[in-house]
Amino acid sequence: MTSAKLDPIDLKILDAIQRDGRITKLALAEQVGLSPTPCWMRLRKLEKAGIVSGYHARIAMRVVAPVATVLMEVTLANHRQADFDRFERVIRDVPEIVACWSVGGGVDYLLKVIARDIDAYQRLVDGLLDREIGIDRYFTYIVIKTVKDQVALPIAELLPASS
């Protein structure tokens, strides 16, 4: 299923389940204007096509315990494919690194780290440096306040305009 095959009902389904992954079959069908069986069949088709890749609970971690959110820019010393592969292999296995993007521009990677506190973050960085995974430089940005952290994607706005 490609984006060209998503019709307005599919977009409504995707929007609804992004906002409430636990929505009932009946409530979803009512929201999108279908009867439950065809609605559920469409959802299953979206899942089988890989458009819906999973369902997750969003945890308000700061309610559970105080944490530090840190953004980290990383530049590697060398830029061979083996250097990128080694770095990425290690990063995938560090649970506190909750997101990692390979980026263009002046740095190689942007990481999002959730740590118990700044000391824990620094210990994590020291451990990465000790592992000698090719980090040449890194810059740390401590998140002071979250202004927006939206999980739902603006699917309809991202698709090409219909002619």
Side-chain angles (χ1 to χ4, degrees):
M1 181 178 267
T2 64
S3 62
K5 294 183 182 177
L6 294 176
D7 66 19
I9 301 271
D10 293 327
L11 296 176
K12 286 180 182 179
I13 290 171
L14 294 173
D15 186 59
I17 64 171
Q18 281 191 106
R19 296 182 195 295
D20 181 3
R22 295 178 62 180
I23 191 169
T24 65
K25 292 179 191 179
L26 184 58
L28 179 61
E30 287 173 0
Q31 277 192 28
V32 303
L34 287 177
S35 59
T37 300
C39 181
W40 202 246
M41 289 172 51
R42 278 181 178 251
L43 178 57
R44 290 290 172 237
K45 185 176 176 184
L46 293 167
E47 291 170 346
K48 284 184 179 185
I51 293 170
V52 176
S53 60
Y55 297 87
H56 312 278
R58 187 166 182 182
I59 309 300
M61 191 61 210
R62 290 181 190 264
V63 174
V64 177
V67 294
T69 302
V70 181
L71 302 178
M72 179 181 177
E73 291 180 349
V74 174
T75 302
L76 299 184
N78 297 300
H79 293 95
R80 297 177 304 252
Q81 189 59 49
D83 299 309
F84 293 119
D85 292 344
R86 179 181 64 220
F87 177 82
E88 291 172 14
R89 207 172 20 258
V90 169
I91 294 307
R92 281 187 195 101
D93 291 334
V94 179
E96 296 90 345
I97 299 173
V98 297
C100 176
W101 300 276
S102 174
V103 296
V107 297
D108 297 316
Y109 294 95
L110 180 61
L111 286 67
K112 180 179 179 182
V113 181
I114 306 294
R116 183 170 296 138
D117 53 34
I118 300 305
D119 289 338
Y121 165 75
Q122 190 58 54
R123 286 191 302 278
L124 181 141
V125 172
D126 292 343
L128 292 174
L129 295 172
D130 288 345
R131 292 178 77 171
E132 297 183 6
I133 58 173
I135 297 174
D136 182 39
R137 290 187 325 260
Y138 72 92
F139 295 93
T140 296
Y141 303 93
I142 299 167
V143 175
I144 304 301
K145 175 175 80 170
T146 300
V147 176
K148 183 176 183 179
D149 188 14
Q150 180 173 317
V151 176
L153 301 173
I155 299 167
E157 290 80 4
L158 298 174
L159 293 175
S162 324
S163 16

